[in-house]
Amino acid sequence: MTLIKSISGIRGTIGGVPGDNLTPIDIVKFTTAYVRFIAESKPARKLTIVVGRDARISGAMADDLVEGTLLGCGADVINVGLCTTPGVEVAVTTHKADGGIIITASHNPRQWNALKLLNADGEFLSDAEGKRVLALAEEEGFEFPDIDRIGKVLSRSSFNEEHIRRVLALPLVDVEAVRKRGFKVVVDAVNSVGGIVIPELLRQLGCQVVELNCAPTGEFAHNPEPLPENLTEISEVIVREKADLGVVVDPDVDRLALVSQDGSMFVEEYTLVAVADYVLSHTPGNTVSNLSSSRALSDVTLRRGGKYFASAVGEVNVVARMKEVGAVIGGEGNGGVIYPELHYGRDALVGVALFLTYLAKNGMTMTGLRKTYPAYFASKNKIALTPAIDVDKVLHEIKERYHNERVNDIDGVKIDFPESWVHLRKSNTEPIIRVYTEAGTMAEADALAQRFIAEIKEICHI
């Protein structure tokens, strides 16, 4: 059981001891600190905050606590209820709110929940802003407003249909082209909010939908992270139903994994690659992904005449880099597509609509499209942190050992070899060191990962 405070928000397991877990006391404490932070830049002004949540079991309880705390701090609330992370982000700007709180632990298992904090642009707080919230959470002496200055609930209404409408209105989303193809799509929404929005989006695109784990009960049918080992059921259903493809989302619908018509994984890394390929074919420009993402995006970007740039891991870092270089498309290799034409946030709805438009227009099957991209294989491993592991020492030692290679240390250490790469970093969301590698074959990627895991253990004498 643990409470993690990072650039990804306040995340922890429900229940247990305050300060060690995400308890009601912690939810109130960090929500109060967040309101105080927003108020610092808008003194003497009535604040409006958007609140939304995924379908996990603790969501309703956390929603009540967050809403009540915001009201008690003097902020008005727009509660959009069951809503995707990207939906809440768009709702903040649509309602011209001062910020937003998304109650979701993303891909974490059912016992976890989290507070993801947004600014007035519907984007995640920066590292410095997040640290300010944490500092305020430890300050004492805050005086809550009296009865005449408490907040009120301005509305309680879903934003999901409006989010879908805005996605379908994007210039590069060709609804008619998709309708003409008449795709049959299997959807696995892991029994969270994606089960509400993804089937509806697909039906409005003229697709025949087969729903799998789409009841928003919060009882995840399998490990909610959309990795191949968790997606055997949808693969079987796609083949049995003779579907054109499968769509898989995580509990808050900011990650998109695709499955081909033969049940094989399109591979989560290639979600962004394919969508970027389509966008760049109509809107030449630059792209950005984080250091742990596939080299394939760089290859496709260069082929389309643009420039590729890397950022530190974390959506806020990708967004900042995208703004710096004027990227027309970007995201993360975990299936997170960021398309600034709608908003600066990972959005599976945008990813689905753009991808299906591309697939419809080029007339290919999923497996046919996948073969048009460079074949890279990623191995994603982790080492549990123990007192024996000094992360800074590990990274410094590895950097020194490989100083003659192309090394990037903006986020951990990434070493680019001619035909492969390895990225070592401390996770923002779990007490682990991530060891990500990519190479031309799975065997080579796995071997590279095991080589560096062995080096880490050697450095730490474990």
Side-chain angles (χ1 to χ4, degrees):
M1 301 300 183
T2 187
L3 183 67
I4 300 173
K5 297 167 279 189
S6 74
I7 196 171
S8 298
I10 313 301
R11 183 180 304 234
T13 48
I14 295 297
V17 178
D20 290 336
N21 310 79
L22 191 63
T23 69
I25 290 173
D26 294 292
I27 292 171
V28 171
K29 172 182 174 180
F30 289 108
T31 300
T32 301
Y34 168 73
V35 178
R36 293 178 64 187
F37 166 75
I38 296 295
E40 286 183 333
S41 61
K42 300 172 183 179
R45 171 178 160 180
K46 190 76 168 179
L47 301 179
T48 299
I49 306 295
V50 174
V51 178
R53 67 178 179 91
D54 70 13
R56 61 184 62 232
I57 297 166
S58 59
M61 176 272 289
D63 193 332
D64 288 343
L65 287 166
V66 168
E67 181 182 285
T69 302
L70 291 171
L71 299 178
C73 289
D76 292 338
V77 173
I78 295 172
N79 198 315
V80 294
L82 284 173
C83 193
T84 66
T85 282
V88 178
E89 292 169 353
V90 176
V92 169
T93 55
T94 300
H95 291 291
K96 296 181 172 58
D98 299 292
I101 297 179
I102 312 165
I103 302 165
T104 173
S106 191
H107 63 273
N108 288 97
R110 66 195 290 278
Q111 68 269 29
W112 290 76
N113 215 329
L115 307 180
K116 292 186 176 182
L117 310 177
L118 305 175
N119 61 22
D121 294 322
E123 299 167 14
F124 291 119
L125 302 187
S126 69
D127 184 51
E129 291 168 336
K131 287 176 179 174
R132 178 59 182 156
V133 172
L134 298 181
L136 287 169
E138 302 307 319
E139 285 188 8
E140 298 181 356
F142 174 63
E143 186 175 327
F144 288 88
D146 61 27
I147 188 63
D148 296 315
R149 293 184 295 134
I150 62 173
K152 59 181 180 294
V153 177
L154 301 180
S155 67
R156 296 186 196 279
S157 59
S158 172
F159 192 78
N160 295 324
E161 190 59 41
E162 176 62 16
H163 186 196
I164 291 171
R165 186 191 71 77
R166 287 172 181 246
V167 168
L168 296 181
L170 289 168
L172 289 189
V173 174
D174 192 331
V175 177
E176 286 308 311
V178 178
R179 282 179 178 158
K180 286 179 182 177
R181 277 294 297 269
F183 292 116
K184 186 175 186 180
V185 185
V186 181
V187 177
D188 183 348
V190 75
N191 289 333
S192 190
V193 69
I196 299 172
V197 294
I198 297 297
E200 178 60 24
L201 171 70
L202 290 168
R203 291 188 180 102
Q204 291 193 33
L205 282 165
C207 299
Q208 180 183 349
V209 180
V210 178
E211 296 187 10
L212 180 66
N213 305 320
C214 284
T217 62
E219 290 287 1
F220 303 147
H222 53 77
N223 185 310
E225 190 162 13
L227 300 176
E229 59 266 29
N230 303 326
L231 305 180
T232 54
E233 183 182 14
I234 190 172
S235 292
E236 294 168 359
V237 173
I238 288 168
V239 174
R240 185 175 72 238
E241 294 284 340
K242 296 181 172 58
D244 296 290
L245 72 153
V247 169
V248 184
V249 292
D250 63 338
D252 67 328
V253 201
D254 60 1
R255 291 173 60 173
L256 170 63
L258 301 166
V259 186
S260 298
Q261 80 281 359
D262 62 354
S264 66
M265 297 298 115
F266 193 78
V267 182
E268 202 178 23
E269 288 281 349
Y270 284 80
T271 300
L272 174 59
V273 173
V275 172
D277 192 24
Y278 171 57
V279 170
L280 291 169
S281 71
H282 290 271
T283 316
N286 300 331
T287 65
V288 173
S289 64
N290 68 43
L291 288 170
S292 285
S293 300
S294 177
R295 190 177 283 179
L297 179 61
S298 175
D299 292 348
V300 166
T301 304
L302 293 173
R303 190 171 71 195
R304 292 289 188 182
K307 293 183 179 180
Y308 167 78
F309 299 87
S311 78
V313 173
E315 183 174 320
V316 66
N317 296 318
V318 177
V319 167
R321 191 70 169 137
M322 288 178 70
K323 291 179 178 180
E324 287 174 10
V325 303
V328 297
I329 183 76
E332 298 188 282
N334 59 9
V337 174
I338 301 174
Y339 187 46
E341 185 74 16
L342 182 61
H343 70 119
Y344 276 105
R346 293 183 302 174
D347 193 327
L349 281 76
V350 167
V352 167
L354 291 173
F355 182 86
L356 287 181
T357 298
Y358 192 31
L359 195 64
K361 287 189 170 186
N362 64 30
M364 293 184 183
T365 62
M366 293 287 288
T367 51
L369 177 61
R370 180 67 175 79
K371 289 176 182 176
T372 66
Y373 299 121
Y376 294 118
F377 295 83
S379 181
K380 299 183 178 183
N381 298 270
K382 55 191 177 183
I383 302 174
L385 292 175
T386 69
I389 297 178
D390 182 334
V391 179
D392 293 332
K393 177 185 175 182
V394 169
L395 298 181
H396 177 75
E397 177 66 24
I398 294 290
K399 181 181 174 182
E400 288 299 310
R401 289 185 182 190
Y402 292 92
H403 68 274
N404 288 327
E405 304 289 346
R406 290 171 53 206
V407 177
N408 187 321
D409 62 357
I410 63 171
D411 183 8
V413 173
K414 181 175 184 179
I415 305 164
D416 269 297
F417 301 105
E419 303 298 329
S420 61
W421 56 257
V422 60
H423 187 203
L424 311 173
R425 60 181 291 273
K426 185 177 180 179
S427 170
N428 288 329
T429 57
E430 300 176 69
I432 58 176
I433 290 179
R434 298 193 184 277
V435 181
Y436 285 6
T437 58
E438 185 177 69
T441 69
M442 196 68 229
E444 290 171 333
D446 284 335
L448 186 61
Q450 292 308 312
R451 169 181 147 193
F452 275 87
I453 289 171
E455 288 198 34
I456 291 171
K457 291 182 176 179
E458 173 202 333
I459 292 169
C460 298
H461 304 293
I462 57 175

